[in-house]
Amino acid sequence: MLQIKNVTITHKKDLRTILSDFSVVLNDGDKAAIIGEEGNGKSTLMKVIYNPELVDSYVDYSGEFITNGGILGYLAQEMSEEDLEKTIYTYCVEEDAFSMLTPKELTHIGRQVGFPLDRFYSEQEIKTLSGGEKVKLQLARLLMKQPDVILLDEPSNDLDIETLEWLETFINQCQKPILYISHDETLLENTANMIIHMEQVKRKTVPKHTVIKMGYQQYLETRIQGLARQEQVARKQRSDYNKQMERYLQIQQKVEHQQNTITRQDPHGGQVLKKKMHAVKSMGRRFEREKEDFLEIPDTEDAMFIKFANQTAIPNGKVILDYRLDVLQQQERVLARDIVLHVEGPKKIGIIGKNGCGKTTLMKEVSKQMLERKDIKVAYMPQNYLDLLDKEQTPVEFLTRVGDKEENVRICTYLGSMKYTSEEMYHKIEELSGGQKAKLILLKMSMEGYNVLLLDEPTRNFSPLSNPVIRETLKNYSGAIISISHDRKYLQEVCDTIYELTQDGLKQIYDIL
């Protein structure tokens, strides 16, 4: 059991409150998913629950965490550089419980996470493991502690489809409370029975949270209905207010005119008009007080806007890529052979494959060839955004080409449409969340009119409520897309052709589920 009571979290730098008076109780069998827009503090909350020292440098918090002596197990969003340099055995033995477990107990843990017993003693360096293998290893070490509550920060990142399905089974079969963050909508739909939604409304000035015991899809439907009702009432309030104010101003102008035209010979009439004006102004003050209680017009993640210009269109049949590679390898390791990829415009290609099969390596090789083309305008979104972004720049600096005032206004307008606050527009890129960095790259692509996009895991860092907007944008994009993804909704809704990278090359597939 985990009880969280009246927790408030505030940024030290700008004193912005990211969570206010948050309370929840997690019991056995609860699968509580934390969702919310990029940069809203989901990972920060997870770290505060597990170990406040992890975020002591940038936030303050108040409140209580009650475990009744229970043990918390935590899987971080990313492994540290220090851990990546270790061997699997060194990483495991640093967990005190490892040496106390019997081979039978370790075998059981290995079966739970799909990690064979003998691999716990391997001298293989962790940095050479695939993304899925790293997650399984971290989960195995977490389970060695025999935790009473499990905290998972983005466990679905970098997992292939087979491993995602395994993770869904693990979450569903676990009897202990699980609190997790994920951007994978399919995983959320298949696992969550409680939703914790963190929001920042009124242009990220007011924190709001919702805790509700229901599945993700049901929550979405309930939320959409509630927002529709709220917007309907809010707009009617404003419409009625405008009509009232129009009538009020007419009355005020009429009384003012009567006051200006009354003669000094009629003092009684002047007193009557003075009382009448007092009543009119009292009516105006009442209207203003009522306005303060109006419902807000909903300000949500899906309110962001991004659109690619029409000049991105690619003619039907134009050859975008005719790629052949005898051997794909990483250092001395052969990943695949006989790769053939022929793409004509305006196709949208999705490439899937098991973790570690060489998808990102292939995309890097393809990008080298395509970025040199003069007949098409190609943009590349790497899996590691900092391969493309200068972490010392601000978003405005990254998007600037000319540097004049007109361009600056246009850039700020576009950033605002992507839900950046005015402060975030001038933060260093290194201070932004993964989703905010991804938005920045997509925004640059849309502003500069690229007609071919190379995208390595384009949706991996967007919130589950932002992702439908991104998918719709890419679906309507009139250029060509070559992408790597494990996002099942992206593959279904955006891609018209899907290939799986195997040791024997690229194989077209027709069913990803």
Side-chain angles (χ1 to χ4, degrees):
M1 188 272 288
L2 170 65
Q3 184 177 5
I4 302 171
K5 294 179 65 176
N6 310 118
V7 168
T8 294
I9 304 174
T10 306
H11 272 294
K12 289 182 177 180
K13 183 176 180 179
D14 56 14
L15 302 181
R16 180 168 64 93
T17 300
I18 60 175
L19 190 64
S20 179
D21 200 27
F22 171 70
S23 298
V24 69
V25 177
L26 299 180
N27 294 304
D28 287 349
D30 284 339
K31 327 292 185 190
I34 305 176
I35 64 172
E37 194 175 0
E38 302 80 13
N40 268 8
K42 301 182 295 296
S43 292
T44 299
L45 170 61
M46 188 78 80
K47 291 173 183 174
V48 169
I49 294 170
Y50 178 67
N51 180 4
E53 291 181 4
L54 295 174
V55 293
D56 184 59
S57 63
Y58 65 93
V59 297
D60 288 317
Y61 85 97
S62 61
E64 291 183 81
F65 303 100
I66 302 170
T67 63
N68 292 331
I71 298 172
L72 301 182
Y74 170 64
L75 185 147
Q77 188 174 135
E78 295 180 353
M79 293 189 80
S80 68
E81 291 296 327
E82 182 182 354
D83 281 342
L84 289 172
E85 296 297 326
K86 296 172 183 173
T87 66
I88 295 174
Y89 175 69
T90 301
Y91 179 73
C92 290
V93 82
E94 286 180 354
E95 171 52 58
D96 293 338
F98 177 74
S99 58
M100 300 171 63
L101 295 170
T102 66
K104 183 178 179 180
E105 290 170 325
L106 285 173
T107 299
H108 176 67
I109 290 172
R111 284 176 180 164
Q112 280 183 279
V113 302
F115 208 82
L117 173 64
D118 61 322
R119 294 205 72 187
F120 292 135
Y121 299 91
S122 170
E123 293 299 322
Q124 183 180 0
E125 292 181 337
I126 294 174
K127 65 184 178 184
T128 65
L129 299 179
S130 70
E133 289 173 322
K134 289 171 187 168
V135 169
K136 289 181 177 182
L137 175 60
Q138 290 176 88
L139 267 176
R141 195 172 94 156
L142 180 156
L143 292 175
M144 291 173 193
K145 297 171 60 175
Q146 299 181 330
D148 300 287
V149 180
I150 296 175
L151 311 175
L152 306 176
D153 191 353
E154 292 290 357
S156 54
N157 266 5
D158 302 323
L159 299 187
D160 58 40
I161 292 173
E162 181 181 338
T163 311
L164 280 169
E165 291 171 346
W166 162 83
L167 179 62
E168 290 174 3
T169 301
F170 173 83
I171 291 173
N172 285 327
Q173 291 182 350
C174 184
Q175 297 303 308
K176 297 171 181 177
I178 298 182
L179 180 66
Y180 62 107
I181 301 167
S182 178
H183 293 163
D184 189 299
E185 294 160 77
T186 306
L187 182 137
L188 291 170
E189 290 170 0
N190 292 341
T191 58
N193 59 20
M194 178 188 291
I195 301 297
I196 299 171
H197 187 182
M198 294 174 60
E199 299 178 83
Q200 292 281 323
V201 298
K202 297 184 179 179
R203 295 198 61 78
K204 296 189 178 181
T205 60
V206 178
K208 175 184 175 184
H209 65 267
T210 303
V211 178
I212 194 163
K213 264 267 195 181
M214 61 174 57
Y216 179 69
Q217 193 60 43
Q218 184 184 359
Y219 172 68
L220 280 189
E221 293 168 1
T222 302
R223 178 175 178 271
I224 289 169
Q225 293 170 1
L227 290 174
R229 287 194 297 270
Q230 179 180 332
E231 182 169 3
Q232 184 179 22
V233 172
R235 294 197 182 281
K236 186 175 188 308
Q237 286 174 330
R238 284 155 178 76
S239 175
D240 291 346
Y241 172 78
N242 290 336
K243 291 176 183 176
Q244 289 174 331
M245 288 303 293
E246 183 178 355
R247 176 61 179 156
Y248 162 72
L249 290 174
Q250 289 174 350
I251 295 172
Q252 184 184 44
Q253 290 170 359
K254 182 177 180 181
V255 175
E256 287 177 346
H257 176 72
Q258 290 173 340
Q259 284 182 320
N260 291 334
T261 56
I262 194 170
T263 64
R264 293 183 179 180
Q265 284 73 32
D266 186 8
H268 176 70
Q271 289 295 322
V272 171
L273 288 174
K274 188 174 181 181
K275 290 181 179 180
K276 193 172 185 180
M277 178 57 77
H278 180 76
V280 169
K281 289 185 175 180
S282 178
M283 180 194 306
R285 288 192 293 271
R286 177 167 57 84
F287 289 159
E288 288 299 323
R289 286 194 300 272
E290 291 174 355
K291 184 181 178 182
E292 293 175 1
D293 295 327
F294 283 1
L295 287 175
E296 293 289 333
I297 294 176
D299 175 20
T300 64
E301 288 94 333
D302 51 5
M304 72 174 184
F305 178 78
I306 180 172
K307 183 178 180 181
F308 286 85
N310 292 330
Q311 68 261 33
T312 59
I314 287 279
N316 286 329
K318 179 176 176 60
V319 176
I320 301 301
L321 179 66
D322 193 12
Y323 185 81
R324 296 175 185 274
L325 185 66
D326 293 334
V327 179
L328 176 69
Q329 60 187 69
Q330 190 176 55
Q331 296 176 342
E332 301 302 319
R333 180 186 170 208
V334 174
L335 301 169
R337 298 181 184 274
D338 303 321
I339 295 174
V340 177
L341 182 57
H342 183 83
V343 182
E344 297 181 356
K347 290 286 187 181
K348 296 179 175 65
I349 306 298
I351 299 174
I352 67 171
K354 292 186 176 181
N355 290 124
C357 72
K359 299 182 297 297
T360 292
T361 303
L362 174 61
M363 182 67 87
K364 287 179 179 178
E365 292 299 316
V366 168
S367 70
K368 290 176 186 176
Q369 183 184 112
M370 296 195 69
L371 290 169
E372 295 177 354
R373 293 271 295 273
K374 304 299 181 186
D375 59 323
I376 52 178
K377 192 172 182 182
V378 181
Y380 174 39
M381 173 190 274
Q383 191 174 114
N384 182 358
Y385 304 141
L386 293 180
D387 289 347
L388 185 65
L389 301 171
D390 180 348
K391 64 182 182 180
E392 295 297 320
Q393 281 189 317
T394 67
V396 170
E397 289 170 340
F398 174 71
L399 297 173
T400 296
R401 296 184 67 187
V402 179
D404 59 22
K405 183 178 179 180
E406 182 180 343
E407 182 188 48
N408 186 268
V409 171
R410 185 169 67 253
I411 287 171
C412 291
T413 301
Y414 288 151
L415 286 168
S417 74
M418 294 291 278
K419 307 289 284 182
Y420 280 80
T421 65
S422 55
E423 292 82 9
E424 289 169 339
M425 296 176 193
Y426 294 95
H427 282 180
K428 288 183 178 181
I429 287 173
E430 67 177 346
E431 298 175 14
L432 302 178
S433 69
Q436 288 172 311
K437 293 185 182 87
K439 283 181 180 179
L440 195 56
I441 294 171
L442 281 179
L443 186 54
K444 188 177 185 70
M445 291 177 176
S446 72
M447 290 176 64
E448 299 193 1
Y450 294 98
N451 52 19
V452 178
L453 306 181
L454 306 179
L455 308 174
D456 193 346
E457 295 284 2
T459 60
R460 65 193 287 264
N461 280 308
F462 288 114
S463 79
L465 297 168
S466 296
N467 252 325
V469 182
I470 301 301
R471 290 198 301 271
E472 186 68 19
T473 298
L474 294 176
K475 178 182 176 181
N476 295 328
Y477 174 64
S478 56
I481 296 176
I482 302 173
S483 57
I484 296 168
S485 183
H486 298 137
D487 181 339
R488 288 160 282 184
K489 289 188 180 292
Y490 170 85
L491 292 165
Q492 289 174 317
E493 297 176 18
V494 176
C495 301
D496 44 49
T497 308
I498 299 172
Y499 296 97
E500 181 178 7
L501 180 60
T502 70
Q503 290 182 338
D504 299 318
L506 289 165
K507 310 296 181 185
Q508 187 171 350
I509 63 171
Y510 302 93
D511 184 9
I512 62 168
L513 298 178

